[in-house]
């Protein structure tokens, strides 16, 4: 072993989003570094969103494939991202983290709503010894309070929670590390406001810091997204100041081979997931095509399902949520998962006719239909036009931009710009994504833990609803 090696090597990943083959390549790199440094001098951490239910292996195992890969790679601690905390119930998380995980799970700003406590498997912070150094580790996650409350969690202020843990752990640590699934802006704020944190490892906003930021003496690192890079921090202690010294970088993973054991784990869970999702959820007597660019029966069915699921007057959803249509015959859970992979939830809001009208106009413009969307739960390719239910829209495709609508009718008559309508739609729009006027809703109610593919499954089981999906909601002038 080289005497020039740092006292401790810290490796960190974030926002893997179930890019499992990349995780298998990371396992190869981690094993290589462990052979050089030894287990006692290697600290390996994940900053959340390792799980993503768009992947069949993750969906079919409730995230156990991700836990198995983290275990196999020898991770020491992880924090929860919103893709773990908001797409699974506490019972599912307990099975994964309490019964299967061989690493510490950290999140200081999450507690159960019922009793104000954390489950035994969830720690606010911990101290881990490596290379003769005491590492104080704290986890925090993005506080999507409205969503977490529906799953029985109280998501508190992450800055306050981090400050409390720094106070508790700093006397027992040589190096204080914050595992932050908050995003770069929050990481900078914490570095500005809090004393006592030496190193922030970031995620959530998918930012890549090939060179670390240093803010008021706190070093900030992040390794991008999807496992394209792994973060590497060599750590020593300055003999004069006794403060930690960091040499940080990011290492591209593409050239590494997949670890054989990790690849075998993925293969086993792929087979298991395929079996579990092979169950038939509906039998169709007719095909249901889907299109992101124009009205289609499957898009109509989803919009109608959202209206019914949320007991609203109008249903609205972007057609880009659907990655394909359905042929006549048996429909399996795997097919639904493949064509509607986004972990997006239904929601209901009260929205003015004027805001609805603006979104309808925008949905006739190619710059909106073809708009690429990233994040916020969306796992498709483009925004797509709007599928609607509870409305009949007469339009002139040759009209001027934002002037193509000729007549829009709701169930009780012409769409009234000044009236508030109850609208069943998707949580993505409440973040101001794509059709921004749909963010203006009032009295928003989210429906968790169901995803929009659960809504679609319900609709596919009703023959009369399938027939109605072929009815036109968008009517061109002259037809």
């Amino acid at each position: 072993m080289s005497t020039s090696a740092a006292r401790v090597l810290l490796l960190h990943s974030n926002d893997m989003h179930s890019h499992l083959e990349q995780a298998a390549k990371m396992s190869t790199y981690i094993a290589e570094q462990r052979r050089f440094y030894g287990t006692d001098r290697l600290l390996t951490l994940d900053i959340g969103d390792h799980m993503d239910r768009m992947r069949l292996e993750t969906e079919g195992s409730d995230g156990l494939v991700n836990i198995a890969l983290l275990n196999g790679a020898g991770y020491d601690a992880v924090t929860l991202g919103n893709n773990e905390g908001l797409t699974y119930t506490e019972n599912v998380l307990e099975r994964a983290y309490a019964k299967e995980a061989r690493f510490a799970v950290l999140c200081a700003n999450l507690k159960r709503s019922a009793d104000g406590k954390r489950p035994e498997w969830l720690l606010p912070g911990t101290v881990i010894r490596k290379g003769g150094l005491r590492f104080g580790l704290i986890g925090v996650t993005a506080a999507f309070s409205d969503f977490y409350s529906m799953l029985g969690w109280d998501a508190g202020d992450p800055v306050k929670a981090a400050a409390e843990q720094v106070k508790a752990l700093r006397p027992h640590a040589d190096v204080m590390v914050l595992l932050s699934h908050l995003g770069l802006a929050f990481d900078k704020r914490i570095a500005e406001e809090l004393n006592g944190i030496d190193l922030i490892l970031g995620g959530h906003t998918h930012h890549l810091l090939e060179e670390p930021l240093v803010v008021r003496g706190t070093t900030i690192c992040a390794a991008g997204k999807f496992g394209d890079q792994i973060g590497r921090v060599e750590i020593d202690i300055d003999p004069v100041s006794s403060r930690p010294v960091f040499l940080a970088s990011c290492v591209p993973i593409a050239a590494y081979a997949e670890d054989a054991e990790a690849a075998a784990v993925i293969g086993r869970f792929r087979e298991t997931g395929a079996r579990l999702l092979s169950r038939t959820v509906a039998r169709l007597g007719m095909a249901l095509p889907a299109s992101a660019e124009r009205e289609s029966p499957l898009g109509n069915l989803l919009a109608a399902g959202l209206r019914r699921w949320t007991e609203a007057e109008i249903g609205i959803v972007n057609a880009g949520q659907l990655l394909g249509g359905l042929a006549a015959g048996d429909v399996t859970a795997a097919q639904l998962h493949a064509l509607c992979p986004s972990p997006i939830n239904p929601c209901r809001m009260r929205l003015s006719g004027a805001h609805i009208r603006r979104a309808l106009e925008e949905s006739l413009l190619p710059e909106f239909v073809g708009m690429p969307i990233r994040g916020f739960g969306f796992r498709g390719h483009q925004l797509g036009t709007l599928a609607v239910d509870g409305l009949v829209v007469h339009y002139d495709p040759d009209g001027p931009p934002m002037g193509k609508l000729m007549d829009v009718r709701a169930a009780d008559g012409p769409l009234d710009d000044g009236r508030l309508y109850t609208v069943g739609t998707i949580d993505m729009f409440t973040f101001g994504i794509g059709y921004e006027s749909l963010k203006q809703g009032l009295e928003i109610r989210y429906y968790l833990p169901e995803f929009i593919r659960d809504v679609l499954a319900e609709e596919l089981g009703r023959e009369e609803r399938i027939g109605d999906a072929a009815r036109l909601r968008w009517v061109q002038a002259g037809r």
Side-chain angles (χ1 to χ4, degrees):
M1 183 179 294
S2 170
T3 57
S4 65
R7 184 180 296 191
V8 174
L9 175 64
L10 187 159
L11 300 177
H12 59 99
S13 55
N14 61 275
D15 298 286
M16 295 291 295
H17 286 281
S18 287
H19 284 66
L20 304 180
E21 287 76 16
Q22 292 296 96
K25 292 181 179 182
M26 278 191 182
S27 291
T28 298
Y29 181 79
I30 292 168
E32 175 187 283
Q33 299 305 305
R34 184 173 287 113
R35 284 192 296 271
F36 182 77
Y37 277 86
T39 299
D40 182 58
R41 297 170 59 215
L42 181 68
L43 179 62
T44 309
L45 309 172
D46 184 76
I47 319 303
D49 275 6
H50 196 287
M51 298 178 186
D52 195 314
R53 291 179 62 178
M54 72 170 290
R55 184 71 182 242
L56 179 144
E57 295 90 339
T58 301
E59 176 76 352
S61 69
D62 285 339
L64 295 186
V65 64
N66 304 78
I67 300 298
L69 290 171
L70 289 164
N71 283 340
Y75 276 73
D76 296 289
V78 309
T79 194
L80 297 179
N82 47 286
N83 269 262
E84 287 91 8
L86 290 177
T87 65
Y88 291 111
T89 63
E90 183 186 341
N91 288 339
V92 173
L93 293 176
E94 180 168 2
R95 180 191 172 199
Y97 291 116
K99 298 181 180 179
E100 301 294 336
R102 299 197 296 268
F103 45 80
V105 184
L106 310 176
C107 194
N109 65 316
L110 276 186
K111 296 179 180 179
R112 287 186 300 228
S113 303
D115 58 10
K117 299 179 180 179
R118 296 180 189 88
E120 290 184 4
W121 55 266
L122 185 62
L123 304 174
T126 192
V127 176
I128 293 179
R129 290 180 177 270
K130 292 285 182 177
L133 298 178
R134 301 167 301 168
F135 285 83
L137 306 177
I138 303 166
V140 284
T141 197
F144 292 111
S145 301
D146 290 343
F147 293 88
Y148 272 115
S149 64
M150 298 191 67
L151 292 170
W153 294 104
D154 178 15
D157 180 352
V159 181
K160 179 181 178 182
E164 291 172 351
Q165 286 304 302
V166 170
K167 183 178 180 181
L169 296 182
R170 181 77 260 189
H172 311 288
D174 303 302
V175 185
M176 282 297 303
V177 183
L178 182 69
L179 286 67
S180 167
H181 196 82
L182 300 177
L184 184 56
F186 255 109
D187 293 347
K188 291 178 180 177
R189 174 186 164 192
I190 288 174
E192 288 282 359
E193 295 182 6
L194 297 188
N195 296 319
I197 297 175
D198 300 307
L199 178 64
I200 297 176
L201 305 176
H204 185 51
T205 47
H206 296 185
H207 48 289
L208 173 64
L209 299 177
E210 295 182 287
E211 294 185 2
L213 300 177
V214 180
V215 178
R216 287 185 64 243
T218 297
T219 300
I220 303 174
C221 301
K225 63 181 179 180
F226 303 161
D228 292 336
Q229 314 245 3
I230 188 168
R232 177 188 173 97
V233 186
E234 298 176 43
I235 303 172
D236 276 305
I237 297 295
D238 185 284
V240 177
S241 67
S242 298
R243 287 184 52 81
V245 178
F246 306 114
L247 178 61
S249 61
C250 290
V251 179
I253 291 298
Y256 287 85
E258 294 180 28
D259 176 81
E261 291 186 10
V265 166
I266 297 168
R268 288 197 300 272
F269 278 99
R270 184 179 301 121
E271 292 176 3
T272 302
R275 284 197 302 271
L276 289 173
L277 297 180
S278 66
R279 68 183 185 279
T280 299
V281 297
R283 183 168 288 111
L284 297 180
M286 58 183 289
L288 289 175
S291 171
E293 291 80 19
R294 62 190 66 84
E295 181 177 9
S296 64
L298 194 58
N300 288 344
L301 188 71
L302 180 55
L306 287 166
R307 180 182 63 78
R308 282 187 277 262
W309 192 280
T310 60
E311 299 179 307
E313 299 169 273
I314 296 168
I316 299 178
V317 66
N318 61 307
Q321 295 293 343
L322 299 169
L323 304 187
L326 291 169
D330 289 347
V331 178
T332 66
Q335 286 176 288
L336 280 188
H337 179 263
L339 67 86
C340 195
S342 301
I344 283 178
N345 309 107
C347 79
R348 184 178 69 190
M349 62 178 69
R350 288 172 62 79
L351 195 63
S352 74
H355 287 132
I356 294 171
R357 189 183 303 276
R358 179 173 182 83
L360 295 174
E361 285 279 15
E362 290 173 344
S363 76
L364 293 168
L365 302 177
E367 58 266 36
F368 282 88
V369 174
M371 182 186 297
I373 302 293
R374 299 288 183 268
F376 303 96
F378 186 66
R379 302 295 182 261
H381 307 296
Q382 65 189 80
L383 180 63
T385 190
L386 286 177
V388 300
D389 190 63
L391 294 173
V392 177
V393 184
H394 292 263
Y395 70 102
D396 180 359
D398 297 321
M402 303 303 292
K404 297 179 185 292
L405 297 185
M406 300 169 61
D407 182 52
V408 183
R409 292 191 171 267
D412 60 352
L415 187 72
D416 183 347
D417 285 358
R419 185 193 148 187
L420 291 176
Y421 294 85
T422 57
V423 176
T425 185
I426 55 175
D427 59 9
M428 186 182 90
F429 288 146
T430 68
F431 297 109
I433 304 305
Y435 297 105
E436 295 186 10
S437 67
L438 300 182
K439 184 186 179 180
Q440 306 304 318
L442 306 172
E443 301 173 27
I444 297 171
R445 176 187 171 186
Y446 299 106
Y447 293 75
L448 274 72
E450 300 88 1
F451 293 156
I452 54 176
R453 59 176 170 266
D454 298 313
V455 174
L456 204 53
E458 170 72 15
E459 294 298 300
L460 290 169
R462 305 294 185 91
E463 188 173 344
E464 72 281 3
R465 297 179 182 179
I466 293 172
D468 184 61
R471 175 176 54 84
L472 289 179
R473 279 74 163 168
W474 290 84
V475 182
Q476 286 190 32
R479 292 192 176 182

